[in-house]
Amino acid sequence: ILQACVHCGFCTATCPTYQLLGDERDGPRGRIYLIKQVLEGAPATARTQTHLDRCLTCRNCETTCPSGVEYGHLLDIGRKVVAQQVQRPWRERTLRQLLLLTLPRPALMKPLFALAYALRPALPRVLQQKLPPRDASTRAGIWPDRPHARKMLILEGCVQPGMAPNINAATARVLDKLGVQLLRAPKAGCCGALRQHLSAEQAALQDMRNNIDAWWPYLQGRDAVEAIVMTASGCGVMLKEYGYHLAHDAQYAAKAARVAALTRDISEVLVGFAPQLQQMVRASSSFGASAEIKLAYHPPCTLQHGQQLRGQVESLLRGLGVTLSLPCDSHTCCGSAGTYSVLQPELANSLRANKLANLQASGPDTIVTANIGCIAHLQGGTATPVRHWIELVARIIA
């Protein structure tokens, strides 16, 4: 990976933290130099760790790079090596350990979110901003259970079911209308991304193995599912790299590659159903109402840079008659980036302020995106509703 980089600097033009801070070490090229020095034997320092920590892992630089540098994988390597040499202050260690112990556990997060929402008015403002307001449109709707010959599997996620339960339910309703049954594997848990980005590599690998074990029965036989559907683009990019992360594991390598090959973002799935969706809208008694919906769309970094999926959501929504705008900085990160908004709040909030200013320039009724982290982070800075785009599709074709 290091040898692929020619140090041209194109990446600095699209790196959010370099644009904010103007420090070469807070851009991809500078961080690559820092990692290279450590791998060649130079001692890592707390300063080295700080510059690596400030990276959002948005992978905008990978889209920009003319040499195809796998920066995201290199950053994981660099952070791991530096963490072995530099002990963090106890406050950082405690916070990171708390995140590791809570966020990746769906069974724990659901009751925690229920309690947090019950106490929301009494919570400090900084915590209130982490909890998007709830109304009738965000509560989990009906999950259809009609059997269909075509079946797909969904990863429910660890944070999403407690924070925004309607997203997966809306996905199930849309697919049900298209003749696809969406299944849930009760034993599946966190995709592994949270632990991976907090340098808990072995725990992340175990998350991946656990999910593969939970899904494997659904991938066998005549009733095997067609795809594993992702409604959180952050989880989607992780699943699509299961084959990479478990390539060294003789027992799981082939299974991981199969899971990665079957993983589809919900936008990838619905592209093939676009004519049917458009027909449903035209046949609806409320035909024309969708044209009154004015949206601004934020494409998550994990969708456009991590999965290299661009333009599909916009095409689907416009095909349903929705008025849709993209901000002038649609290629840049909103500042959420998993746990980044908790660990680097100042940078995250600066990026959010810039993103919201551009999203709201068109005067949208609603902001839509494709990742739960982006939804929660953006909603914390605006009164304009922020939703997953699939919820709007479910509402339009209902």
Side-chain angles (χ1 to χ4, degrees), residues 57-210:
T57 324
C58 69
R59 297 195 177 186
N60 202 331
C61 54
E62 291 190 12
T63 298
T64 310
C65 180
S67 303
V69 175
E70 297 175 16
Y71 174 80
H73 295 157
L74 178 62
L75 185 69
D76 285 341
I77 294 167
R79 282 174 169 168
K80 176 184 174 183
V81 173
V82 170
Q84 291 169 350
Q85 297 184 30
V86 180
Q87 186 178 49
R88 296 180 180 277
W90 71 269
R91 290 181 185 274
E92 287 186 27
R93 295 200 307 272
T94 302
L95 177 56
R96 295 169 78 91
Q97 193 61 34
L98 182 62
L99 294 172
L100 286 169
L101 290 173
T102 55
L103 291 182
R105 301 176 188 272
L108 179 61
M109 291 308 298
K110 281 187 178 180
L112 280 179
F113 273 120
L115 177 62
Y117 274 107
L119 300 175
R120 191 176 190 273
L123 293 176
R125 179 172 173 78
V126 67
L127 292 180
Q128 289 185 25
Q129 289 182 339
K130 301 295 182 185
L131 299 170
R134 279 184 172 173
D135 56 31
S137 67
T138 60
R139 296 188 181 95
I142 296 171
W143 190 297
D145 56 5
R146 288 191 304 169
H148 294 288
R150 300 185 66 178
K151 294 176 173 58
M152 296 182 185
L153 191 62
I154 191 168
L155 172 64
E156 291 193 88
C158 44
V159 173
Q160 188 164 287
M163 182 178 284
N166 189 50
I167 294 174
N168 289 337
T171 304
R173 294 194 296 273
V174 171
L175 290 177
D176 176 64
K177 285 181 174 289
L178 296 168
V180 178
Q181 185 179 4
L182 192 61
L183 305 175
R184 294 174 280 188
K187 294 183 180 179
C190 179
C191 66
L194 283 168
R195 290 188 171 103
Q196 177 72 22
H197 295 314
L198 288 169
S199 300
E201 181 185 23
Q202 293 307 312
L205 293 175
Q206 192 55 48
D207 284 338
M208 299 176 207
R209 295 185 187 103
N210 292 342

Side-chain angles (χ1 to χ4, degrees), residues 8 44 55 59 119 142 184 206 225 233 245 248 299 352 363 369 373:
C8 64
C55 178
R59 297 195 177 186
L119 300 175
I142 296 171
R184 294 174 280 188
Q206 192 55 48
V225 298
S233 59
H245 290 294
H248 67 284
R352 180 178 65 187
T369 185

Side-chain angles (χ1 to χ4, degrees), residues 153 211-220 254-256 258-259 262:
L153 191 62
N211 285 338
I212 291 170
D213 290 340
W215 293 328
W216 202 246
Y218 296 88
L219 310 184
Q220 308 297 308
K255 291 181 178 181
R258 176 106 185 274
V259 166
L262 285 173

Side-chain angles (χ1 to χ4, degrees), residues 313-380:
V313 174
E314 300 95 302
S315 176
L316 283 164
L317 291 174
R318 286 173 177 147
L320 299 181
V322 172
T323 301
L324 184 72
S325 64
L326 273 78
C328 60
D329 63 345
S330 63
H331 62 288
T332 62
C333 184
C334 69
S336 171
T339 57
Y340 190 91
S341 62
V342 177
L343 299 172
Q344 303 284 340
E346 290 185 14
L347 289 173
N349 290 342
S350 294
L351 291 167
R352 180 178 65 187
N354 294 341
K355 178 64 66 175
L356 284 171
N358 291 322
L359 281 166
Q360 293 175 314
S362 60
D365 304 313
T366 302
I367 296 169
V368 293
T369 185
N371 191 53
I372 183 62
C374 302
I375 293 170
H377 186 54
L378 290 171
Q379 190 67 85

